[in-house]
Amino acid sequence: MNWVRFHDTRCPLVLVAKGGALCEIRFGSDVPEGADDAPADPVLMETARQLRLYFAGELQTFELPLTPHGTAFQQRVWQALLRVPYGETRSYGQIAEEIGTAKAVRAVGAANGSNPIPIVIPCHRIIGTNGKLTGFGGGLPLKRFLLDLERSR
């Protein structure tokens, strides 16, 4: 497992790759135990490049090899998140309906909250049914910033 820090004025991130694919983005500067600092890792370099373009408002769709680790249900939720278009939002209920589990809104919320690759797998685009912002690993101010960034393009 390799990692590198991504420095952006809005949020420090740690990017983690394993086996030639991005497997995790952590908010802050916590490095996974047992990971090696590998700034020359091609997946990490490409992830950092695409994140810089995204934060500059020049990239709408990430094209990276991803290996988020989670249950089959979580994987279904994360795949649905990838289908939410740039600049748009969906509710937890809409995601639950999309994956065929309309009554599993809370489970969708839990899967959304355990997304190991935030921003790239856009969990920030998921909001409450009433339109209000709900939890986000990077904090609600960052979630608001990401949504505003996308809506301004």
Side-chain angles (χ1 to χ4, degrees):
M1 184 177 344
N2 299 321
W3 67 273
V4 67
R5 285 188 173 92
F6 174 81
H7 299 285
D8 181 84
T9 57
R10 295 155 207 88
C11 64
L13 303 171
V14 172
L15 313 177
V16 184
K18 185 176 181 181
L22 183 66
C23 63
E24 189 175 353
I25 293 179
R26 292 182 175 210
F27 293 108
S29 58
D30 291 342
V31 176
E33 190 173 316
D36 297 317
D37 185 4
D41 181 296
V43 170
L44 297 176
M45 289 174 31
E46 180 59 16
T47 302
R49 185 187 76 79
Q50 289 188 33
L51 281 168
R52 279 191 294 279
L53 291 171
Y54 171 82
F55 282 119
E58 300 172 9
L59 180 81
Q60 294 185 2
T61 304
F62 292 94
E63 294 184 19
L64 298 163
L66 305 176
T67 56
H69 298 286
T71 67
F73 180 81
Q74 289 171 326
Q75 296 286 342
R76 287 177 34 219
V77 170
W78 300 334
Q79 285 301 311
L81 300 181
L82 287 167
R83 291 188 292 273
V84 178
Y86 181 92
E88 295 184 20
T89 58
R90 298 289 184 273
S91 70
Y92 296 99
Q94 288 172 309
I95 297 296
E97 286 178 24
E98 180 180 330
I99 65 169
T101 58
K103 294 187 179 187
V105 175
R106 288 181 188 253
V108 165
N112 192 67
S114 63
N115 171 17
I117 310 177
I119 302 171
V120 173
I121 298 176
C123 55
H124 62 278
R125 295 180 189 154
I126 311 306
I127 60 174
T129 303
N130 60 4
K132 292 190 177 184
L133 296 189
T134 56
F136 183 63
L140 292 182
L142 178 58
K143 184 171 185 166
R144 168 59 55 208
F145 167 78
L146 295 172
L147 293 173
D148 289 345
L149 171 74
E150 292 184 7
R151 287 181 180 144
S152 70
R153 303 291 176 220

